Amino acid sequence: MARGAKEDPAKDEKRAMWYLRKIPLLEGVDQARLQELAAAVEIREIPRRQVIYLPGDPGDRVFFINGGRVKCSKVTRDGKELTLAYRGAGQLFGELCIIDGTPRDEMAEAMKNAIITEVPRELFTELLQTDNRLCFNFACIVGDRRRQIETKLEHLVFRDVQAKLAALLLELGGEYGVECEDGLQIGLKITHQEMANLIGSTRETISLTLAQFKKKGLLDLNGRTVVLKDQEGLSAMT
């Protein structure tokens, strides 16, 4: 588009509607309400490693991912990081602002080039209040994520590094695993530092533990690609 040219609002709404229809949570929302959303949302393309929001930023919108991957994490003032979760296409994040609209207390960052749909908090809250099915499905997502956080907390407090890493690898295998000749390949490129942030460890400890797992024949490593060769053996360690 030439510099200074005006975008076509009808074309923007059509694009927004296309993205909204791809979001599983919004399945079943009637056409008229989706049209209201399409007229109010903003579609953004986020480059890899760009921060979407920081602690203290306004909790004034809910985000849906239409493509790419987003990391949500807690970061201390001295730079230490604990990854809460990765969110992928079709998922939402920043959802807790719906409760009371308070400022963010976590950071969200694009791990891959991402396309996100931003929905104003007031509009999404109104939609939840008028659509019982959507409200229930939203509550299920929030509840499931609460359960995941409680499990993560249990692991951080009561398990050693080997058990936490084995559990993480099995979780990643369950979500991103692709069967291959040597076992189950985790179809997600993840660095040792990212693994450390997910389980509250250090990059050096993760590298050492992965090497030990490889020596025991539990997995194989190829750069940032991990192949789980003995899932039962990993499970026994958790």
Side-chain angles (χ1 to χ4, degrees):
M1 180 178 296
R3 185 182 297 275
K6 293 184 179 180
E7 296 183 358
D8 183 349
K11 186 177 294 185
D12 287 347
E13 286 189 29
K14 184 177 180 180
R15 179 179 183 232
M17 178 65 83
W18 188 87
Y19 279 125
L20 290 171
R21 285 174 173 160
K22 298 288 184 180
I23 298 170
L25 178 62
L26 300 181
E27 290 180 4
V29 175
D30 66 65
Q31 180 76 11
R33 299 314 300 268
L34 280 181
Q35 201 68 53
E36 289 181 30
L37 287 179
V41 303
E42 181 179 357
I43 309 295
R44 292 178 57 200
E45 297 182 8
I46 311 294
R48 178 177 178 270
R49 294 297 183 185
Q50 179 171 308
V51 172
I52 300 167
Y53 59 74
L54 288 166
D57 284 353
D60 58 359
R61 65 198 71 185
V62 177
F63 302 85
F64 291 94
I65 304 173
N66 299 106
R69 186 161 59 104
V70 171
K71 177 177 68 175
C72 298
S73 59
K74 294 277 192 177
V75 183
T76 64
R77 292 182 178 179
D78 60 356
K80 294 179 181 179
E81 181 178 331
L82 175 64
T83 299
L84 301 174
Y86 289 100
R87 306 297 181 203
Q91 296 183 311
L92 81 160
F93 65 99
E95 71 279 359
L96 290 183
C97 73
I98 294 298
I99 308 301
D100 53 14
T102 55
R104 308 290 180 185
D105 60 5
E106 82 280 8
M107 179 178 79
E109 175 187 6
M111 300 305 291
K112 297 172 62 177
N113 292 343
I115 300 174
I116 62 174
T117 299
E118 301 184 1
V119 183
R121 173 182 178 269
E122 294 80 4
L123 184 58
F124 194 69
T125 300
E126 180 185 344
L127 183 59
L128 289 172
Q129 292 172 341
T130 57
D131 188 321
N132 292 336
R133 177 183 174 185
L134 175 65
C135 188
F136 176 76
N137 290 339
F138 177 78
C140 287
I141 291 174
V142 173
D144 186 56
R145 291 181 176 182
R146 163 71 182 270
R147 185 182 297 112
Q148 291 171 7
I149 289 294
E150 289 179 351
T151 300
K152 180 186 284 287
L153 179 61
E154 178 187 358
H155 290 180
L156 288 172
V157 173
F158 297 116
R159 295 189 179 185
D160 60 23
V161 171
Q162 287 197 352
K164 289 188 289 188
L165 183 55
L168 173 63
L169 292 170
L170 290 170
E171 179 184 339
L172 294 175
E175 187 169 356
Y176 301 102
V178 179
E179 294 290 343
C180 64
E181 183 177 351
D182 296 325
L184 185 70
Q185 179 174 315
I186 297 176
L188 173 70
K189 292 184 178 180
I190 183 169
T191 67
H192 292 185
Q193 184 62 61
E194 288 171 337
M195 291 186 197
N197 292 343
L198 279 164
I199 64 172
S201 185
T202 65
R203 180 184 59 78
E204 294 79 10
T205 300
I206 294 300
S207 298
L208 177 62
T209 307
L210 285 172
Q212 294 172 344
F213 285 0
K214 180 178 180 180
K215 187 175 182 180
K216 294 178 180 179
L218 298 172
L219 53 78
D220 201 3
L221 302 171
N222 183 15
R224 288 195 294 165
T225 300
V226 180
V227 177
L228 307 183
K229 300 177 67 175
D230 183 358
Q231 295 180 66
E232 290 186 3
L234 287 169
S235 182
M237 302 183 70
T238 65

